[in-house]
Amino acid sequence: MTEFNLLVGGPPDMWPANLAQQKKIPWIAADRGALRLLKLGITPQIAIGDFDSLAPAELRQLQHRVSDMRYAVADKDETDTELALVLAFNELQATRVTIYGATGGRLDHLLDNLFMLLQPRFLPYCQRVRLLDRQNSLRLFLPGTHTITQEAGQHYVAFAPLTAVKGLTLYDTKYKLTNQDYAQAIMFASNQFTQKSATFSFRTGVVAVIQSHD
């Protein structure tokens, strides 16, 4: 398994409390995320972006500390996070990417980080991605039967069809569904595990699963 962490530009107060201890898995950083990692004592394997949010002295610090810098023009169609995911999957052949800093702050950034996983170039890899913050863990799933394990400290589980979905079935959560079709995005929030794992299935579409706590 080739696993990477990715830090993007969301506010630090939404990071998990133990982010600074996540040093065993190599890091990719998008833009200012690289500088924030250095301040935590973590040197990213790769920093990528236009770095337009950095002062000249900050950029020089990155160039001195990070051996692999990937530069993009500021006026571009892709976000720095998208560039980082392309790098992770196409060049580094990542089997799992955990994204930190993708939530909190501006709502347009949150929705952009979520909806980008529905792009045709990322959709085949979407099940390899997890968005993680202080309260939430979000993953996307493609059609099939899936069993998820309750993560430590997470009390709630939510199911959100992001596209039209057919045959959504929740087998063993507190609130169940049986073979339901939905023509548009919808959220089923505040469900709960009844055991340490939960199984669900659907035939078409994309479903987000969010584990969270208050």
Side-chain angles (χ1 to χ4, degrees):
M1 178 178 291
T2 306
E3 186 172 355
F4 290 89
N5 289 328
L6 168 60
L7 183 63
V8 299
D13 61 3
M14 287 298 295
W15 296 349
N18 66 346
L19 188 143
Q21 283 72 56
Q22 305 301 314
K23 297 182 179 181
K24 293 183 179 180
I25 297 171
W27 283 86
I28 304 167
D31 200 76
R32 177 166 287 275
L35 190 65
R36 289 173 168 173
L37 284 178
L38 291 181
K39 291 179 179 179
L40 293 175
I42 299 172
T43 301
Q45 179 174 315
I46 301 173
I48 188 168
D50 53 41
F51 303 106
D52 60 348
S53 66
L54 301 184
E58 292 174 329
L59 181 57
R60 288 194 296 271
Q61 180 184 3
L62 283 187
Q63 293 168 331
H64 178 71
R65 301 274 302 277
V66 180
S67 60
D68 193 344
M69 298 279 294
R70 309 289 181 96
Y71 299 92
V73 297
D75 187 10
K76 60 186 186 303
D77 294 328
E78 297 174 295
T79 66
D80 293 329
T81 304
E82 289 175 313
L83 293 176
L85 278 186
V86 169
L87 170 69
F89 291 124
N90 291 354
E91 180 178 332
L92 302 176
Q93 302 296 305
T95 55
R96 180 179 298 171
V97 178
T98 300
I99 305 178
Y100 299 87
T103 64
R106 285 173 50 180
L107 286 178
D108 59 332
H109 287 170
L110 166 62
L111 293 176
D112 189 41
N113 289 328
L114 176 60
F115 293 157
M116 73 177 176
L117 298 175
L118 300 177
Q119 295 178 23
R121 59 178 173 167
F122 294 133
L123 192 58
Y125 305 109
C126 72
Q127 295 184 154
R128 304 184 192 180
V129 177
R130 180 171 63 149
L131 275 58
L132 191 64
D133 68 21
R134 186 172 293 269
Q135 286 184 269
N136 310 281
S137 173
L138 182 150
R139 295 178 60 196
L140 267 56
F141 291 87
L142 299 174
T145 299
H146 306 280
T147 299
I148 57 172
T149 301
Q150 183 178 15
E151 298 179 14
Q154 304 292 38
H155 304 304
Y156 302 104
V157 59
F159 298 86
L162 298 181
T163 66
V165 164
K166 290 186 178 181
L168 180 60
T169 299
L170 309 180
Y171 293 94
D172 46 18
T173 48
K174 181 177 180 179
Y175 305 106
K176 298 176 175 61
L177 285 174
T178 301
N179 198 32
Q180 296 297 303
D181 298 343
Y182 301 96
Q184 72 289 315
I186 189 170
M187 169 65 75
F188 298 104
S190 299
N191 208 332
Q192 296 178 34
F193 290 90
T194 59
Q195 51 196 19
K196 294 299 183 181
S197 64
T199 299
F200 64 99
S201 65
F202 57 103
R203 296 192 302 275
T204 65
V206 182
V207 173
V209 177
I210 305 167
Q211 297 193 42
S212 59
H213 65 273
D214 290 324

